[in-house]
Amino acid sequence: MNTVKNPHITIFENQIELSLGHSYGISSDKQDDLISVRYELMKLRFKQVLFLESDISVLPTMTVLEYLVYMTKIQRVNHYYATELQLLNLLEAANLGYISLTAMQYLTKEEKMIVGLIVALFSNKEIIVFQICDYNFSMSLLHSIQYLIRTLLKQTSVLLVITMQPNLIGICLTNVIFVQDKKINYYGSVTLLRDTMDRVLYAIEHHDMDMMYHNLLEAFPLYEIRRTPSKIYVMRTTTERDDSFFLHTLSKQGIMPDHLKFNHGKVKHSFQELIELHENFK
């Protein structure tokens, strides 16, 4: 009995084994690093790799549904291709039904890329590279991408997504590779990244940010209080999370935020921690 082997890729001289059936986000705070990653992955150009790097410009007058039927027939796997009804149901389930009868030329560039992703996920390619550094997907489209990957990604394929949008990785993908200065700074699951690297506990907004910042500094000496122009972040140091203690202290000290958000792990915050650690150890 033949065992299917996991594919390998090389990024900056590091060989990485990819797990079939999984998705990987490759990101950085510098676009130059991701351009370098793209060139590394270009070495993979063989018949089992599919690169999706720009929005679709062919067959512009076809509707999305017509295009998907046409493309899945062309690349049918084991003589199977999706019917028009199956593809329509897929678009509806992914909250993309509104584009099904729209001509390709009238889609946004992000919507075109999602149509391209659907076609790619129907293929029999072992590695699919989705290069979207210059794209910014709305929250609604991110959830559509999440559904499509979970529904269509085969157990015989791997999806690599090159992106500078942390939310895309956090919502849609299972693993992450974060690179800085042509080195891999983190490689592992998205869940582990959020659990270990995101120190933000609470995000606070107030009409008097100066007053709120100083009140929080006095009330929570064991936490790190970090201020940005629009928010104040309460961050853990060595102290474990204790929501009851935090809310009780706010009430006792008469501290009343205009808006308080509980954070339970974000890729964006985790990347910021990785960036700061990297800068500190240069």
Side-chain angles (χ1 to χ4, degrees):
M1 178 174 156
N2 293 328
T3 303
V4 178
K5 293 183 179 180
N6 286 327
H8 291 75
I9 60 171
T10 300
I11 296 178
F12 306 138
E13 301 182 354
N14 297 278
Q15 191 174 72
I16 298 172
E17 181 178 357
L18 304 174
S19 297
L20 291 169
H22 285 252
S23 55
Y24 295 78
I26 305 176
S27 194
S28 176
D29 60 323
K30 301 180 182 70
Q31 192 152 6
D32 285 349
D33 279 331
L34 296 184
I35 291 171
S36 297
V37 169
R38 175 182 173 276
Y39 283 125
E40 294 264 345
L41 294 178
M42 291 291 284
K43 300 171 186 176
L44 292 171
R45 278 198 181 277
F46 54 90
K47 64 180 181 178
Q48 284 305 102
V49 179
L50 188 154
F51 279 77
L52 184 61
E53 299 186 301
S54 60
D55 58 83
I56 304 157
S57 57
V58 296
L59 307 173
T61 60
M62 273 191 173
T63 67
V64 169
L65 195 54
E66 289 171 336
Y67 180 82
L68 289 175
V69 170
Y70 174 75
M71 291 302 296
T72 56
K73 278 186 179 180
I74 287 178
Q75 61 180 24
R76 67 188 72 178
V77 179
N78 297 327
H79 305 290
Y80 168 80
Y81 59 89
T83 66
E84 184 177 277
L85 180 58
Q86 288 171 327
L87 289 166
L88 178 59
N89 288 338
L90 175 70
L91 290 171
E92 292 284 356
N95 292 319
L96 293 169
Y98 69 96
I99 66 170
S100 59
L101 300 180
T102 303
M104 293 292 295
Q105 61 187 332
Y106 297 123
L107 300 182
T108 67
K109 68 175 187 176
E110 284 78 15
E111 289 167 342
K112 287 179 183 177
M113 284 299 277
I114 291 177
V115 173
L117 177 63
I118 294 173
V119 173
L121 290 171
F122 267 103
S123 75
N124 64 347
K125 300 299 185 181
E126 186 176 55
I127 298 176
I128 300 166
V129 181
F130 194 37
Q131 206 288 98
I132 48 175
C133 285
D134 298 323
Y135 292 76
N136 187 36
F137 295 87
S138 67
M139 191 59 67
S140 173
L141 289 180
L142 289 180
H143 286 292
S144 296
I145 293 171
Q146 177 196 53
Y147 177 83
L148 292 168
I149 292 172
R150 289 182 177 179
T151 304
L152 298 179
L153 183 60
K154 299 177 179 67
Q155 292 303 308
T156 54
S157 297
V158 173
L159 176 65
L160 302 178
V161 181
I162 305 174
T163 178
M164 295 190 75
Q165 190 172 359
N167 279 350
L168 188 152
I169 295 173
I171 292 171
C172 305
L173 310 176
T174 54
N175 301 280
V176 59
I177 301 168
F178 192 73
V179 299
Q180 289 178 275
D181 297 330
K182 295 183 173 54
K183 294 180 181 177
I184 294 176
N185 196 350
Y186 177 89
Y187 169 51
S189 74
V190 172
T191 300
L192 183 62
L193 173 73
R194 287 189 297 222
D195 288 347
T196 57
M197 295 306 301
D198 184 1
R199 297 193 296 118
V200 174
L201 300 172
Y202 316 102
I204 290 174
E205 296 176 23
H206 194 265
H207 59 274
D208 188 338
M209 294 288 277
D210 288 331
M211 180 189 74
M212 178 57 66
Y213 177 69
H214 291 295
N215 287 344
L216 290 171
L217 284 175
E218 291 180 6
F220 299 101
L222 297 181
Y223 289 133
E224 179 182 341
I225 312 298
R226 182 177 297 178
R227 178 178 174 177
T228 69
S230 60
K231 288 183 176 65
I232 298 171
Y233 294 106
V234 180
M235 307 173 69
R236 61 180 165 84
T237 49
T238 56
T239 308
E240 291 300 315
R241 183 188 197 110
D242 189 339
D243 293 341
S244 296
F245 166 76
F246 181 74
L247 292 173
H248 175 74
T249 305
L250 285 180
S251 177
K252 184 178 178 180
Q253 298 293 329
I255 301 173
M256 301 292 291
D258 292 342
H259 187 264
L260 169 63
K261 185 174 182 180
F262 291 73
N263 179 58
H264 296 284
K266 286 187 176 180
V267 171
K268 177 177 70 173
H269 297 153
S270 303
F271 282 176
Q272 191 57 45
E273 288 295 315
L274 289 172
I275 292 165
E276 289 183 11
L277 285 171
H278 179 73
E279 292 298 323
N280 289 339
F281 286 97
K282 269 188 174 180

